[in-house]
Amino acid sequence: MLLGLVSDASSAIPIQAIKTAFPIGIGLASAAYLTMKIASNSSSSGGETVPMASLRPGDSTHDKEYNDDQDAFLQRCEEEYGPTFNVLLLGKTYTVVSGPLIREVIMNSDFSSIDAVEEHQHIKAYFNTVRKSNWDPDHRTLHALVKDNITPHLSIFTPRIVEQLEKNLDHELSKCPMQDGGRLVKDPLLPLQEMVGSAMADVFVGPEIAKSRKIVDAFIHATEDLSKMLGNGKIPHASFWGSLVKFVNYKFFNSPLHIHLQTLVDASVPVVLERRRQEAEAAEKGIEYKRPNDILQRMLDNVDKYGFIDLEDVCGHILILILASVHTTTDSATALLYYFAAFPEYMETLYKEQKDVLDEIQQEREKKREELKKKGEPIDEELDPARDRDLTAATIKRMVHMDSFVREMFRFRTERLTLMHRACKSVTLSNGVVIAKGQSAICNLKSAHQGPEQGDEVTEFRPWRFLGKPKTATKVGADFLPFGMGRHACPGRFLAIQEIKTIGVLVVSRYSKIEIQDPSKTMKSLRTRMGEPVPTGVIMTSRA
């Protein structure tokens, strides 16, 4: 079943049928659109009236004022209208919710974040071009794949991730001597893509497949295609006709993911066949088959559990997981370099921490070896002195300053208005405000990330803000929302944070100084949106 790679031709929709059906589809779409517009322009039921934020003279929407200074715009609106108000952003009206109302929206199953995002970015239609099963409306199968197969095994995957990151960091950036004035890296995203892409290839499809340059390139290019589809940091405006055209284009005509999927399938077939041969041979000999430790194998072993159709379907799901992982992790790791550059006074604290942690672990391991020697017991491979200073998951977890730095970076950087949610039916919030069916709320993360629970100087970057507190970089909640919260919290955040911190540790261990090429663009570099190109490079100087 797993090797049925070619779809049944009878299930495909002929082009002529598409052309014939298309005018009917347009007519139905027009009726739906008009109905939606009437509903959106009508006054809703008898809840509290939500004021529309005033526009600056000459502005027809709030986009420009918001983009000029997110904090200043929201401060003005909060002072004038309180925690709930309407704004004209991204081609539609959103109801802004702040403070405790954010939790009410996110945790309420009568809202859909997926539907709200689809109005702008069409992720479902894009992903569905490479998967044959699990067209579930809220990506629950993708969540399950991450929770079941990645997060519980991070301690096993971390050494392989570290090996790939370390090897590619040394290859991509090499030495940047101080006497040469360091090295200008015009676009740090590119070497970081190489690092993260290689690491994810190893974990997801195993070293036999990941060793192919075509595979790593396919993952990187798929990530770039995803970023373009998402707008390269500029969320496309909501447009009914634009959505329809993109949906039809992705579904029937052109998806850039198809070529990347075919590359992965072609590389996977001989490897899967060889694994099956080895498994059958082991069964014949009555010995246990040592299963490869990668996500591909785990998915092959659980085809029925996840409802996969064939190997192509398995590869489609892997491609979706990889491109999402590489996109978000690379973007955040790039941001981390700019934060190191903008706040150089913290680099040595981070460097000292990792040295102290590694020294401490080395001493602990030496003590265990001495105890075993006294008892006359053998010292196993796990306590090999050559591995005393390995960057394991447990080692990185002890580096609390790095964790706090990363969490603060997310708090400081994250878009202020985000986490859109569309009402599936009319919802009344605790303050009496009604979000009518089909209308969307958007969360004011300024109220969450700059609230009193964050401590002092909430508008400033304070990297040790979370030291000594039970708030790690992966811990979501109403006061930390870069990964959402509740049922829809990003399940991949544990892998992403582990990679980001590992990259941070490796960079700090190798470079004594990172500078922003154009200091006048420092603040812009710190506040780029996810996927948005950074307007300047960095200069990296190696440690002596």
Side-chain angles (χ1 to χ4, degrees):
M1 179 175 67
L2 288 175
L3 297 178
L5 299 178
V6 181
S7 302
D8 182 359
S10 65
S11 67
I13 300 178
I15 293 296
Q16 187 58 42
I18 296 171
K19 291 177 180 177
T20 303
F22 195 73
I24 298 174
I26 292 293
L28 292 174
S30 298
Y33 179 66
L34 291 173
T35 302
M36 179 188 71
K37 289 298 291 182
I38 292 170
S40 66
N41 288 332
S42 63
S43 57
S44 60
S45 55
E48 290 292 324
T49 301
V50 182
M52 173 64 72
S54 60
L55 293 166
R56 292 190 309 190
D59 287 348
S60 58
T61 72
H62 295 107
D63 292 280
K64 190 173 188 308
E65 183 181 359
Y66 171 70
N67 290 324
D68 285 346
D69 191 328
Q70 297 179 22
D71 285 343
F73 170 71
L74 290 171
Q75 184 71 27
R76 174 180 79 79
C77 292
E78 289 168 346
E79 291 174 355
E80 292 181 16
Y81 309 108
T84 315
F85 48 91
N86 286 336
V87 293
L88 294 168
L89 282 177
L90 302 172
K92 66 173 294 175
T93 299
Y94 279 101
T95 298
V96 176
V97 294
S98 310
L101 296 175
I102 294 176
R103 175 185 283 275
E104 290 186 34
V105 169
I106 293 178
M107 304 299 283
N108 191 329
S109 60
D110 291 331
F111 284 101
S112 170
S113 60
I114 301 294
D115 288 349
V117 171
E118 280 299 294
E119 292 188 77
H120 299 275
Q121 296 179 320
H122 325 292
I123 295 175
K124 279 195 299 187
Y126 192 71
F127 285 173
N128 286 345
T129 62
V130 292
R131 58 183 172 186
K132 301 178 180 179
S133 62
N134 300 309
W135 285 26
D136 41 320
D138 54 358
H139 305 309
R140 298 317 302 172
T141 302
L142 293 176
H143 279 234
L145 286 170
V146 175
K147 288 183 177 180
D148 296 347
N149 302 292
I150 299 177
T151 304
H153 307 290
L154 270 183
S155 61
I156 298 173
F157 293 141
T158 296
R160 289 162 57 183
I161 292 172
V162 170
E163 180 183 358
Q164 291 298 321
L165 292 177
E166 196 166 21
K167 179 175 71 175
N168 282 280
L169 175 62
D170 292 339
H171 178 265
E172 292 296 318
L173 295 179
S174 64
K175 288 287 185 180
C176 310
M178 182 180 296
Q179 59 267 29
D180 295 339
R183 176 181 174 182
L184 172 62
V185 183
K186 293 182 178 180
D187 187 358
L189 181 75
L190 299 181
L192 288 169
Q193 272 185 340
E194 185 73 28
M195 291 167 61
V196 176
S198 298
M200 290 300 90
D202 188 276
V203 168
F204 275 89
V205 297
E208 314 106 300
I209 299 174
K211 68 183 180 183
S212 167
R213 183 66 237 177
K214 287 183 179 180
I215 288 296
V216 177
D217 285 344
F219 293 162
I220 291 174
H221 294 326
T223 301
E224 293 169 346
D225 291 336
L226 174 67
S227 187
K228 291 175 185 175
M229 190 276 292
L230 295 176
N232 286 326
K234 295 181 180 179
I235 299 176
H237 281 214
S239 165
F240 176 78
W241 295 114
S243 296
L244 180 63
V245 169
K246 286 187 177 180
F247 172 79
V248 171
N249 187 42
Y250 291 151
K251 186 171 180 63
F252 300 119
F253 299 111
N254 175 48
S255 169
L257 291 182
H258 283 152
I259 188 171
H260 307 312
L261 174 61
Q262 192 59 53
T263 299
L264 179 55
V265 170
D266 290 345
S268 298
V269 169
V271 172
V272 171
L273 285 173
E274 176 60 19
R275 290 183 183 185
R276 292 299 186 232
R277 186 196 67 76
Q278 292 176 5
E279 185 176 11
E281 182 180 2
E284 288 178 5
K285 295 179 179 179
I287 59 177
E288 184 179 358
Y289 172 61
K290 187 176 180 181
R291 315 195 80 73
N293 194 8
D294 50 56
I295 307 305
L296 171 62
Q297 186 64 47
R298 293 176 187 274
M299 290 169 68
L300 293 174
D301 291 340
N302 292 280
V303 169
D304 293 335
K305 176 180 178 179
Y306 299 114
F308 299 130
I309 304 299
D310 52 26
L311 180 58
E312 185 177 353
D313 192 25
V314 171
C315 288
H317 283 77
I318 287 177
L319 184 61
I320 291 169
L321 291 173
I322 284 181
L323 65 89
S325 174
V326 175
H327 174 69
T328 54
T329 302
T330 301
D331 179 89
S332 299
T334 301
L336 185 62
L337 289 188
Y338 285 91
Y339 275 76
F340 285 161
F343 303 100
E345 63 270 30
Y346 303 116
M347 287 280 283
E348 286 310 303
T349 299
L350 293 170
Y351 180 63
K352 183 178 184 302
E353 174 182 63
Q354 66 176 267
K355 185 176 182 302
D356 290 346
V357 166
L358 290 170
D359 286 347
E360 182 181 322
I361 290 174
Q362 187 172 24
Q363 291 169 9
E364 291 171 0
R365 288 167 60 86
E366 179 60 32
K367 184 177 179 181
K368 288 180 182 178
R369 289 191 289 265
E370 290 298 328
E371 291 173 353
L372 290 173
K373 286 180 182 178
K374 289 179 182 179
K375 294 178 182 178
E377 297 179 8
I379 297 173
D380 59 22
E381 183 182 348
E382 177 61 30
L383 283 175
D384 183 346
R387 300 177 60 183
D388 281 357
R389 303 183 79 81
D390 285 357
L391 283 179
T392 65
T395 300
I396 295 170
K397 187 176 181 179
R398 291 198 196 187
M399 298 179 185
V400 294
H401 284 79
M402 180 62 75
D403 187 89
S404 180
F405 193 104
V406 170
R407 181 179 170 104
E408 176 70 351
M409 178 191 73
F410 277 105
R411 183 198 73 86
F412 191 80
R413 180 194 182 212
T414 300
E415 179 89 11
R416 301 304 190 255
L417 287 180
T418 187
L419 299 179
M420 310 162 179
H421 284 71
R422 187 176 183 181
C424 303
K425 66 179 184 180
S426 184
V427 178
T428 303
L429 302 179
S430 61
N431 65 347
V433 166
V434 174
I435 310 293
K437 179 180 178 180
Q439 297 294 100
S440 293
I442 192 167
C443 299
N444 174 11
L445 265 57
K446 174 182 176 294
S447 67
H449 290 173
Q450 295 182 16
E453 62 275 10
Q454 304 291 353
D456 299 329
E457 299 179 309
V458 293
T459 61
E460 301 297 322
F461 179 80
R462 295 289 178 261
W464 317 142
R465 186 181 300 277
F466 303 106
L467 284 179
K469 299 177 181 178
K471 295 183 177 182
T472 62
T474 58
K475 186 174 179 59
V476 299
D479 62 343
F480 188 66
L481 293 162
F483 303 103
M485 66 181 294
R487 182 169 179 261
H488 295 288
C490 174
R493 67 187 184 277
F494 300 97
L495 173 63
I497 292 296
Q498 186 78 346
E499 283 189 273
I500 293 164
K501 291 197 296 185
T502 301
I503 291 170
V505 169
L506 292 174
V507 167
V508 168
S509 71
R510 285 161 169 72
Y511 303 97
S512 60
K513 184 169 64 172
I514 304 175
E515 303 166 273
I516 293 179
Q517 178 190 8
D518 183 350
S520 69
K521 296 178 180 176
T522 296
M523 188 51 67
K524 176 63 177 174
S525 301
L526 300 181
R527 289 285 177 82
T528 53
R529 293 181 169 98
M530 178 72 72
E532 181 181 4
V534 183
T536 183
V538 293
I539 301 170
M540 305 184 70
T541 303
S542 298
R543 293 190 179 277

